[in-house]
């Protein structure tokens, strides 16, 4: 530094007054007082209809609304994941009491294999011979306990979807508490759908609370991947795992987790695939997050297919029609050109579209191949069959043809989740919801094998709890998948399917005998009379497919 700059710095330092902390505090207090007077409010923060309170959640919302789409997706995904961590414990938590047993019948094959990826009948017989092996869960095997604190700040008033929305969701009453002595058996169909998570995330990104019926716990839990043991070579097409852990929200109950991991066949050995894209081009699809996102999502799948696969496209609006005849999947230019030509307009002739798509898929099908219709829609059917029950009957009558039906939902405002669920559940397929290209990448690329290649049809789960150890229980989620006890052995009753590499997680909250958390009084004359010496067994798991 030269002499002139030194002299200038010295002059500036001399002219600068020394800091006065008391004067600074007084000036800030006066500024706050003047500001409050100008606002005609008390010194406390003013509340408005848009700002009922301040705190963490308003700040998070403001942050989300000001960042771009990619940042919003990352932020809200992290928030929802945090909510799941708070309510659902680490899957390998320590059991605090003595080691327990959970007897397990690994699988019962109800019918011969339907595709080459499944085990031969001899392998199924080996599984039957090895059934009912008790699985011992020791403290050493179940890992370490995890705790979580709940944020004390209250949630802001919920902002629901506008009254003008016509969305419909396939909700159901929460599963009730069951008394084991009276009702020891729980039966349900597996569910690998994940649409609920996408809809909830979409609502949060819009700064709104999700509709109550849109929240299906099993789909929220099954959205995430878990490190489950896979079946070995020659075993059944999936492997079950059972574990017990403390309940995070109630120290006097426990969680029983039933986990199923599907086999992952070698992609090179998968059968040829016939895909019919059934695209909704009605007027309700005219939005960037509907038809345009739909086109981009289906295009993402194309590089994953081979010359052995074929694709056809059927579109429906006021009427239905074939846009692309069966074309080799490697002819991507022709396929993308057909997709790009689609425009939105007209009514929603869903019934006609389904009829044309099924006819096309049946025409493409050959022995040893997998045929699937992928319906891409916002679910708004208003021409032809539109009632979910009527659509359910129609699809149930078509599934015997061997053609699978999956449904991908797009957009909000008139999303008919109830119809989508009815179609997917009765069409031997899955229901998903795509709100971003990142989700399309997950569903159409990362999970392609599980979404398209079935390894087990009509998978049913039945758990019999031991009344000598379990006083009460409740199944968490799966309300739309609950079956009657007698449905387990009835192969006429349809159930969910498992694709290659798919995972299924189900949770039960159980109340041990003698726990202060029991909500019902024991019966004076009610006694447990098990047909076998159950010992320390909590229950008995059976799977049928």
């Amino acid at each position: 530094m030269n002499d002139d700059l030194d002299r200038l710095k010295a002059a500036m330092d001399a002219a600068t007054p020394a800091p006065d902390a008391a004067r600074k505090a007084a000036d800030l207090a006066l500024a706050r007082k003047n500001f409050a007077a100008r606002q005609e409010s008390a010194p406390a923060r003013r509340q408005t209809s848009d700002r009922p309170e301040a705190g963490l959640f308003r700040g998070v919302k403001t942050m989300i609304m000001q960042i771009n789409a990619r940042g919003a997706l990352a932020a809200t995904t992290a928030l929802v994941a945090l909510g799941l961590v708070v309510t659902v414990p680490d899957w390998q938590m320590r059991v605090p009491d003595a080691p327990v047993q959970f007897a397990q019948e690994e699988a019962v094959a109800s019918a011969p294999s339907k595709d080459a990826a499944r085990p031969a009948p001899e392998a199924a017989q080996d599984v039957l011979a090895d059934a009912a092996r008790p699985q011992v869960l020791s403290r050493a095997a179940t890992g370490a306990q995890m705790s979580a604190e709940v944020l004390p700040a209250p949630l802001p008033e919920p902002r629901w979807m506008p009254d003008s929305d016509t969305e419909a969701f396939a909700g159901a009453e929460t599963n009730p508490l069951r008394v084991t002595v009276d009702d020891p058996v729980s039966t349900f169909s597996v569910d690998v759908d994940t649409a609920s998570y996408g809809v909830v995330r979409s609502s949060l990104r819009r700064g709104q609370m999700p509709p109550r019926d849109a929240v299906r716990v099993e789909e929220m839990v099954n959205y995430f991947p878990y490190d489950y043991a896979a079946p070995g070579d020659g075993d059944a097409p999936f492997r079950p795992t059972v574990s017990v852990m403390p309940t995070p929200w109630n120290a006097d109950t426990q969680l029983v987790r039933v986990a199923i991991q599907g086999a992952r066949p070698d992609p090179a050995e998968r059968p040829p695939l016939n895909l019919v894209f059934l695209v909704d081009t009605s007027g309700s699809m005219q939005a960037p997050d509907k038809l345009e996102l739909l086109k981009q999502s289906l295009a993402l799948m194309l590089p994953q297919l081979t010359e052995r696969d074929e694709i056809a496209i059927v579109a429906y609006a006021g009427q239905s029609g074939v846009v692309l005849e069966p074309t080799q999947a490697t002819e991507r230019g022709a396929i993308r050109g057909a997709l790009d030509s689609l425009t939105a307009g007209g009514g929603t002739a869903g019934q006609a579209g389904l009829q044309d798509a099924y006819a096309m898929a049946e025409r493409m099908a050959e022995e040893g191949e997998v045929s699937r219709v992928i319906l891409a829609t916002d679910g708004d059917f208003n021409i032809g069959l539109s009632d979910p029950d009527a659509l359910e009957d129609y699809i149930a009558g078509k599934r015997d043809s061997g053609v699978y039906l999956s449904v991908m939902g797009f957009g909000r405002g008139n999303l008919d989740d109830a119809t989508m669920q009815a179609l997917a559940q009765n069409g031997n397929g899955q229901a998903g919801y795509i709100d971003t290209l990142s989700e399309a990448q997950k569903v159409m690329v990362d999970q392609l094998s599980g979404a398209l290649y079935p390894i087990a049809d009509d998978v049913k789960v039945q758990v019999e709890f031991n009344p000598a150890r379990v006083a009460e229980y409740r199944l968490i989620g799966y309300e739309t998948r609950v079956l009657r006890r007698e449905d387990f052995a009835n192969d006429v009753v349809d159930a969910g399917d498992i694709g290659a590499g798919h995972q299924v997680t189900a949770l039960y909250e159980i109340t041990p005998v003698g726990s202060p958390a029991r909500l019902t009084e024991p019966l004076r004359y009610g006694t447990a009379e098990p047909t076998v010496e159950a010992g320390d067994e909590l229950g008995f798991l059976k799977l049928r497919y």
Side-chain angles (χ1 to χ4, degrees):
M1 188 175 293
N2 57 39
D3 294 341
D4 291 338
L5 289 179
D6 288 339
R7 286 194 292 270
L8 176 61
K9 181 178 183 299
M12 293 178 64
D13 290 341
T16 302
D20 187 345
R23 178 65 180 271
K24 179 180 178 181
D27 290 343
L28 286 175
L30 180 60
R32 293 192 186 99
K33 180 180 178 180
N34 292 338
F35 180 81
R38 289 292 185 95
Q39 297 294 321
E40 298 180 355
S41 64
R45 290 178 179 173
R46 184 176 61 173
Q47 295 186 354
T48 67
S49 60
D50 182 58
R51 187 187 183 116
E53 59 186 294
L56 169 67
F57 290 97
R58 177 171 176 82
V60 170
K61 173 191 164 185
T62 302
M63 174 192 71
I64 292 172
M65 298 301 289
Q66 292 180 351
I67 58 181
N68 58 30
R70 183 180 297 274
L73 173 60
T76 51
T77 301
L79 285 175
V80 178
L82 172 61
L84 286 173
V85 169
V86 170
T87 57
V88 181
D90 181 88
W91 296 128
Q92 300 298 330
M93 296 176 72
R94 186 182 303 278
V95 179
D97 301 322
V100 298
Q101 291 183 343
F102 202 103
Q104 173 181 316
E105 182 173 323
E106 291 193 356
V108 176
S110 60
S113 300
K114 295 185 181 179
D115 58 67
R118 300 191 192 161
E122 293 79 5
Q125 294 299 324
D126 293 340
V127 172
L128 286 170
D130 200 31
R133 270 196 323 238
Q135 184 182 71
V136 180
L137 301 177
S138 67
R139 287 208 291 248
T142 51
Q145 185 171 349
M146 181 186 78
S147 62
E149 295 182 0
V150 179
L151 293 174
L155 287 170
E157 286 295 318
R159 293 175 57 200
W160 300 101
M161 305 293 287
D163 294 337
S164 60
D165 283 357
T166 59
E167 297 188 330
F169 294 92
E173 292 296 323
T174 302
N175 287 325
L177 185 76
R178 302 289 185 184
V179 180
T180 311
V181 171
D182 301 333
D183 191 5
V185 179
S186 171
T187 308
F188 64 94
S189 162
V190 298
D191 185 3
V192 294
D193 295 345
T194 59
S196 176
Y197 184 92
V199 173
V200 168
R201 180 179 60 199
S202 172
S203 295
L204 295 177
R205 291 185 66 204
R206 294 154 62 111
Q208 298 165 324
M209 291 291 287
R212 179 183 179 89
D213 287 341
V215 182
R216 292 185 288 271
V217 176
E218 73 278 7
E219 295 186 25
M220 302 288 286
V221 172
N222 283 315
Y223 182 86
F224 298 94
Y226 304 102
D227 188 16
Y228 296 151
D233 295 338
D235 291 343
F238 49 83
R239 177 176 176 177
T241 304
V242 182
S243 56
V244 184
M245 63 204 75
T247 304
W249 57 85
N250 191 335
D252 297 314
T253 64
Q254 294 176 327
L255 289 181
V256 172
R257 181 198 63 182
V258 177
I260 299 173
Q261 173 65 61
R264 302 182 181 92
D266 186 345
E269 299 177 359
R270 67 169 178 80
L273 179 66
N274 300 312
L275 281 183
V276 179
F277 292 158
L278 177 56
V279 181
D280 182 353
T281 55
S282 62
S284 64
M285 293 291 291
Q286 195 167 11
D289 63 343
K290 292 189 178 183
L291 184 57
E292 291 307 313
L293 178 59
L294 183 159
K295 295 178 185 179
Q296 298 174 53
S297 300
L298 295 182
L300 284 176
M301 179 189 297
L302 299 182
Q304 311 303 313
L305 305 176
T306 70
E307 67 278 357
R308 299 187 304 152
D309 306 319
E310 282 193 327
I311 288 178
I313 300 176
V314 175
Y316 66 93
Q319 58 185 8
S320 174
V322 176
V323 177
L324 180 71
E325 292 287 343
T327 302
Q328 194 174 53
T330 51
E331 298 292 331
R332 296 171 191 167
I335 298 171
R336 291 183 67 101
L339 287 173
D340 291 340
S341 70
L342 299 175
T343 58
T348 316
Q351 176 186 358
L354 284 169
Q355 290 171 338
D356 287 347
Y358 269 110
M360 178 69 74
E362 291 169 6
R363 178 157 63 93
M364 297 168 66
E366 294 185 12
E367 186 69 26
E369 298 181 346
V370 174
S371 296
R372 184 179 295 270
V373 174
I374 297 182
L375 170 59
T377 178
D378 59 4
D380 188 14
F381 282 47
N382 55 30
I383 297 177
L385 291 178
S386 58
D387 178 69
D389 293 335
L391 284 168
E392 178 179 329
D393 293 338
Y394 172 75
I395 298 299
K398 300 297 293 183
R399 64 172 174 249
D400 291 337
S401 66
V403 177
Y404 295 84
L405 173 67
S406 293
V407 184
M408 297 297 164
F410 291 83
R412 297 297 300 274
N414 61 334
L415 182 68
D416 192 343
D417 174 81
T419 298
M420 292 169 51
Q421 291 290 321
L423 293 174
Q425 290 186 14
N426 291 277
N428 285 349
Q430 293 85 45
Y433 176 77
I434 295 177
D435 57 341
T436 65
L437 271 180
S438 295
E439 184 68 13
Q441 172 76 21
K442 177 178 184 290
V443 174
M444 299 293 193
V445 179
D446 300 342
Q447 299 177 344
L448 179 69
S449 294
L452 299 182
Y453 301 104
I455 58 174
D457 287 340
D458 295 334
V459 182
K460 302 174 184 177
V461 179
Q462 188 170 83
V463 178
E464 177 187 353
F465 287 100
N466 178 8
R469 294 291 310 278
V470 179
E472 300 163 339
Y473 69 90
R474 68 183 181 98
L475 175 62
I476 301 176
Y478 290 91
E479 283 84 2
T480 64
R481 298 283 190 160
V482 171
L483 300 174
R484 297 175 300 177
R485 179 175 176 179
E486 59 269 26
D487 291 341
F488 182 75
N490 185 358
D491 293 332
V492 176
V493 177
D494 188 56
D497 307 304
I498 292 181
H502 259 157
Q503 297 178 331
V504 179
T505 301
L507 299 172
Y508 286 92
E509 183 181 10
I510 64 171
T511 305
V513 171
S515 170
R518 179 166 184 169
L519 299 178
T520 58
E521 291 292 329
L523 297 177
R524 179 180 180 87
Y525 305 108
T527 58
E529 296 181 358
T531 57
V532 298
E533 286 294 330
D536 288 336
E537 293 178 4
L538 289 180
F540 188 69
L541 168 67
K542 292 191 289 186
L543 302 172
R544 187 179 183 88
Y545 66 96

